[in-house]
Amino acid sequence: MTKTKTVLGIMALSALSASAWAFGGGCGPDGKDSKAHWGHGCHKAMHAKACDGRKNMDAASREQRFEKKMDMRLERMAQRLQLSEEQQKAIRNIMVSQHQKMQDMRQQKRAEIDKILTPEQQEKVEQFRHSRGF
């Protein structure tokens, strides 16, 4: 009986620890994710606040944001992997190329979807895209 209680206690403690980690255990004191926690934000409210600044961004601002994030990622990779300048340039080119391909695919997807929608639906989609800054 004592062994069963011990096992159940350990299981409960493990489940509690896992849920604490999953629901914000990786947050730092400033509300941002720690290095061990991957994602856009620890809490929905913080995520919403972070995303709010992206609404109604023009294309140039979005591109600047992409460049900044890409530079940060590349800098982390360079430090962790001790990349040479040549490797960094090659990786940067890959990142830029993939970003452009994703933008092209997104535009193609939108065009294909728009062909299927009625004019009223297209208007609603445009309103939604505009409200989201796209």
Side-chain angles (χ1 to χ4, degrees), residues 20-110:
W21 176 82
F23 292 107
C27 287
D30 59 356
K32 295 183 180 178
D33 294 338
S34 69
K35 291 180 182 177
H37 185 75
W38 297 88
H40 294 292
C42 297
H43 306 288
K44 287 182 181 180
M46 287 184 189
H47 179 69
K49 183 178 178 182
C51 292
D52 191 45
R54 291 185 234 163
K55 286 184 180 181
N56 300 321
M57 288 178 88
D58 62 353
S61 296
R62 280 194 298 274
E63 202 58 33
Q64 285 177 340
R65 186 173 179 277
F66 162 73
E67 291 280 336
K68 183 178 177 181
K69 287 179 76 172
M70 181 185 58
D71 288 341
M72 288 173 35
R73 287 183 185 127
L74 189 55
E75 185 177 324
R76 271 194 315 260
M77 286 178 70
Q79 289 174 351
R80 291 178 181 169
L81 301 174
Q82 288 122 16
L83 299 174
S84 69
E85 289 293 322
E86 186 177 307
Q87 289 174 313
Q88 290 179 47
K89 287 178 185 176
I91 292 170
R92 187 177 215 294
N93 289 338
I94 291 168
M95 290 175 153
V96 169
S97 173
Q98 289 300 313
H99 176 68
Q100 185 59 50
K101 287 178 185 177
M102 289 298 293
Q103 284 182 323
D104 294 344
M105 287 174 53
R106 218 174 276 121
Q107 287 176 341
Q108 180 182 356
K109 174 192 71 175
R110 286 180 180 168

